[in-house]
Amino acid sequence: MAARIEQVVTSGVFSLDDQDFEVDNNVWLIGDDAEVVVVDPSHDPAAVEQAVAGRRVTAVVCTHGHNDHVNGSVALGAAVGAPVLLNPADRELWDQAHPGVEPGGELVDGQVLTVAGIELHVLATPGHTWGSVSLHAPALSAVFTGDTLFEGGPGATGRSFSDFPTIIASIRDRLLTLPAETVVYTGHGDRTTIGAEAPALPAWIARGH
């Protein structure tokens, strides 16, 4: 039962700074036929639970606190009996989506989660939000970047709780240092690789987004 990566795409509304945006989100399941970690259950917890298909969920991981990445987490965690993990630096955003509800645990830089015999290394990658994290799975040559790194550039900054120089530093120092063949599993849109994105860093800095 080798570990593998599965994808569920859900649709809904991202709300921040009194603006609403229709979005499609990537939800990632990492594991095998017995157990999984769920990354960023968004919008439709029932669809994510269906994809879990009765397997043990060891953790529900939120890469950051924006509502479109956490709005299905509490319901899914309750349904499957798993803790919902969040970097405490994004607690203010979490509270906007889930007022009065405590996350089930913390995600901190250097933490290691295990599932299906593989390690998921937590990398602090702030910038899109102050508490953004990525998960590096060396055994799968994979990194799950949430909204920090996409095909074609960094995640959005310029709204509340974000900063462009900070996201550039995170990408340069924490992500582009990974092996070039590492596949980047993003929060929205298509996957890419570290090797495909690394040469464009100077252009991103020059354009300022």
Side-chain angles (χ1 to χ4, degrees):
M1 295 189 295
R4 61 185 184 273
I5 298 164
E6 301 164 60
Q7 180 183 21
V8 179
V9 178
T10 60
S11 301
V13 176
F14 164 50
S15 300
L16 186 66
D17 296 338
D18 298 320
Q19 292 183 292
D20 295 331
F21 307 88
E22 293 285 342
V23 290
D24 295 330
N25 284 64
N26 294 327
V27 183
W28 301 108
L29 280 63
I30 311 161
D32 59 14
D33 289 341
E35 61 181 18
V36 293
V37 163
V38 178
V39 180
D40 290 340
S42 309
H43 310 303
D44 190 348
V48 180
E49 185 181 2
Q50 183 176 13
V52 167
R55 290 172 287 181
R56 184 169 74 94
V57 179
T58 61
V60 175
V61 170
C62 299
T63 61
H64 62 290
H66 282 155
N67 74 292
D68 63 318
H69 287 256
V70 305
N71 59 12
S73 61
V74 171
L76 179 66
V80 299
V84 180
L85 308 181
L86 177 81
N87 187 319
D90 268 4
R91 183 58 190 269
E92 188 173 353
L93 284 164
W94 167 275
D95 288 344
Q96 293 177 12
H98 298 295
V101 178
E102 296 281 334
E106 296 184 351
L107 289 171
V108 296
D109 188 53
Q111 184 176 348
V112 179
L113 308 176
T114 58
V115 63
I118 66 166
E119 295 183 341
L120 305 175
H121 296 257
V122 179
L123 309 176
T125 51
H128 181 66
T129 67
W130 301 132
S132 289
V133 303
S134 299
L135 292 181
H136 179 216
L140 298 177
S141 292
V143 64
F144 301 84
T145 58
D147 288 0
T148 295
L149 178 62
F150 292 102
E151 181 183 32
T157 54
R159 302 190 183 101
S160 299
F161 310 101
S162 68
D163 181 72
F164 180 70
T166 301
I167 202 172
I168 286 294
S170 293
I171 292 170
R172 181 190 63 226
D173 300 338
R174 306 308 306 275
L175 298 178
L176 299 187
T177 54
L178 299 175
E181 66 271 16
T182 304
V183 178
V184 179
Y185 293 86
T186 60
H188 310 270
D190 295 333
R191 68 196 68 175
T192 182
T193 66
I194 293 296
E197 301 306 319
L201 179 64
W204 304 338
I205 295 170
R207 77 189 188 194
H209 63 85

